[in-house]
Amino acid sequence: MNAWVPAITVNARCNNDIKLLTNSKEMTNISFYITAYSTKKQGRSYNLSAIMAKGFAYHSRNTSYVDEIRDQQRKLLFRLVHAINREQELAAPMVISYLMGWKDSYCSHRYTPIYWSSFVTAILEAFPELR
């Protein structure tokens, strides 16, 4: 029996036979890869709610009850952001770019704005029959 699939033929523009890999080493490997990728192991910074809960607990312990409410909320947001930043894993190129004083992005070209009105004027001068 030929395992011909019309959808593959139409979309890939060729006749590819399919084979169900149920008991092979390749099937085992891809199953483990997909499962590990979709259910990522618990890393340091994957659980953002736990990091924020720790930050909130610290805020609650170290903020006096008498403080003004606006100041309390400002301190809470400040401490939560710093708790997240403290646990964040940074890529080496990003760290080096900040240490070297480079900007966040690299641009290899200089861009010049083109205004639509000047473009239309140039087109109408070149082709007066478009008026």
Side-chain angles (χ1 to χ4, degrees), residues 47-71:
N47 197 351
L48 189 60
S49 59
I51 293 171
M52 292 176 71
K54 284 182 186 176
F56 180 71
Y58 177 83
H59 172 73
S60 299
R61 278 194 312 270
N62 296 322
T63 303
S64 67
Y65 186 73
V66 207
D67 285 349
E68 187 180 334
I69 191 78
R70 181 181 290 174
D71 192 42

Side-chain angles (χ1 to χ4, degrees), residues 56-113:
F56 180 71
Y58 177 83
H59 172 73
S60 299
R61 278 194 312 270
N62 296 322
T63 303
S64 67
Y65 186 73
V66 207
D67 285 349
E68 187 180 334
I69 191 78
R70 181 181 290 174
D71 192 42
Q72 279 186 345
Q73 297 304 315
R74 183 188 57 76
K75 284 182 188 174
L76 172 64
L77 290 174
F78 180 80
R79 287 176 178 160
L80 289 179
V81 166
H82 282 282
I84 293 169
N85 283 339
R86 183 177 62 244
E87 297 292 329
Q88 183 181 12
E89 296 173 2
L90 300 173
M94 188 170 84
V95 171
I96 294 299
S97 69
Y98 284 127
L99 290 176
M100 295 299 291
W102 300 334
K103 295 185 179 179
D104 289 339
S105 61
Y106 175 76
C107 185
S108 62
H109 298 81
R110 292 191 182 268
Y111 297 99
T112 304

Side-chain angles (χ1 to χ4, degrees), residues 19-48:
K19 177 182 174 187
L20 183 61
L21 304 172
T22 55
N23 296 324
S24 67
K25 187 68 176 164
E26 291 86 6
M27 184 62 189
T28 306
N29 290 342
I30 198 160
S31 296
F32 278 107
Y33 174 77
I34 291 171
T35 304
Y37 184 78
S38 61
T39 61
K40 292 179 181 155
K41 296 177 184 174
Q42 189 69 31
R44 281 187 347 166
S45 62
Y46 291 149
N47 197 351
L48 189 60

Side-chain angles (χ1 to χ4, degrees), residues 107-120:
C107 185
S108 62
H109 298 81
R110 292 191 182 268
Y111 297 99
T112 304
I114 297 175
Y115 298 101
W116 186 249
S117 58
S118 59
F119 177 74
V120 170

